[in-house]
Amino acid sequence: AQKVTQAQTEISVVEKEDVTLDCVYETRDTTYYLFWYKQPPSGELVFLIRRNSFDEQNEISGRYSWNFQKSTSSFNFTITASQVVDSAVYFCALSEATGGFKTIFGAGTRLFVKA
Amino acid sequence: ETGVTQTPRHLVMGMTNKKSLKCEQHLGHNAMYWYKQSAKKPLELMFVYSLEERVENNSVPSRFSPECPNSSHLFLHLHTLQPEDSALYLCASSQVLGKNEKLFFGSGTQLSVL
């Protein structure tokens, strides 16, 4: 069965610190997709990244980077030089090829970045 | 104009009231979703519509009744709710109904049931 675990409920950092948000997933499929979404205080979740299970190449987008490791079933998200505007709830999500169209979300990690 | 618009933003209702949540997407997408977000819990998928046909009802109580009159609009009709139904209800859309489709979310309706 699908499952996404975000063990960190809340993280608090000071501006300019680097921070890593952990995501561990469970799936029996060989084909699946992983996502990260950001939920700012306004409420709407915003898509950040999508990876498929056959592409383990790490990705960097500005201050954001993602580390996908199938061996440990993890898809961690790092923000470099954090800023106050990064304060939000971040969700990791999983979609299985044989699970139909369901996107299963983790419980989210609330990130506080203090000035 | 935002891609997915939800109204109202906030709703307070008694347990005997009937109300409806509205979602409209301006992205030309064919799939729409209702999610429930409760404090410190994962987002729960409630309903999925593809091309106006309901394709998923994720064991949701009958006091929640969805309606999708066209591919741009989605409603969630509420009646005789319970206090534990208080949550943020999020609408989302995707281009098609697919396993790797990214979702576009509205800002949600914060519902309080008294």
Side-chain angles (χ1 to χ4, degrees):
Chain A
Q2 295 174 274
K3 186 178 179 182
V4 177
T5 302
Q6 294 180 258
Q8 303 150 307
T9 305
E10 291 184 355
I11 301 176
S12 183
V13 300
V14 177
E15 207 170 22
K16 298 184 183 178
E17 285 185 15
D18 298 347
V19 58
T20 295
L21 310 181
D22 298 333
C23 173
V24 175
Y25 61 91
E26 294 178 28
T27 177
R28 295 179 181 174
D29 275 26
T30 56
T31 302
Y32 52 89
Y33 302 89
L34 296 164
F35 304 79
W36 275 96
Y37 287 84
K38 173 182 179 180
Q39 185 180 37
S42 54
E44 79 283 8
L45 276 76
V46 177
F47 168 84
L48 295 177
I49 190 173
R50 170 182 55 204
R51 306 295 285 178
N52 72 61
S53 52
F54 298 105
D55 183 3
E56 284 193 75
Q57 194 169 21
N58 291 330
E59 183 162 336
I60 297 175
S61 176
R63 296 184 297 107
Y64 294 171
S65 62
W66 290 270
N67 183 0
F68 177 26
Q69 293 197 345
K70 289 178 74 170
S71 60
T72 55
S73 297
S74 65
F75 186 43
N76 296 338
F77 173 30
T78 297
I79 302 174
T80 303
S82 59
Q83 300 176 2
V84 172
V85 293
D86 295 327
S87 298
V89 182
Y90 291 86
F91 291 92
C92 181
L94 166 69
S95 176
E96 288 179 328
T98 56
F101 38 77
K102 290 184 182 180
T103 299
I104 303 300
F105 287 82
T109 296
R110 183 177 295 275
L111 175 65
F112 295 98
V113 181
K114 297 178 286 188
Chain B
E1 186 176 70
T2 58
V4 181
T5 305
Q6 288 187 246
T7 54
R9 289 298 308 273
H10 303 273
L11 179 62
V12 180
M13 58 187 290
M15 293 168 61
T16 58
N17 292 157
K18 289 185 179 180
K19 297 286 185 182
S20 295
L21 309 185
K22 178 182 176 182
C23 176
E24 183 175 2
Q25 57 97 0
H26 312 276
L27 301 168
H29 288 170
N30 289 322
M32 296 188 77
Y33 312 76
W34 279 115
Y35 279 88
K36 175 183 179 183
Q37 184 178 13
S38 305
K40 298 184 179 180
K41 292 177 65 176
L43 272 74
E44 301 171 52
L45 178 63
M46 300 176 71
F47 300 104
V48 180
Y49 278 83
S50 175
L51 297 171
E52 303 147 44
E53 179 183 344
R54 191 194 308 180
V55 295
E56 175 78 2
N57 177 344
N58 208 22
S59 303
V60 179
S62 59
R63 56 185 184 269
F64 295 91
S65 175
E67 178 189 3
C68 187
N70 55 63
S71 59
S72 298
H73 293 85
L74 185 65
F75 295 89
L76 187 62
H77 304 300
L78 316 171
H79 65 97
T80 60
L81 294 191
Q82 304 298 311
E84 61 264 27
D85 297 323
S86 298
L88 179 67
Y89 288 85
L90 290 161
C91 174
S93 70
S94 63
Q95 193 164 11
V96 294
L97 188 62
K99 308 165 191 72
N100 64 339
E101 286 295 312
K102 61 182 181 182
L103 301 173
F104 293 77
F105 283 84
S107 297
T109 295
Q110 186 66 55
L111 174 67
S112 297
V113 181
L114 306 178

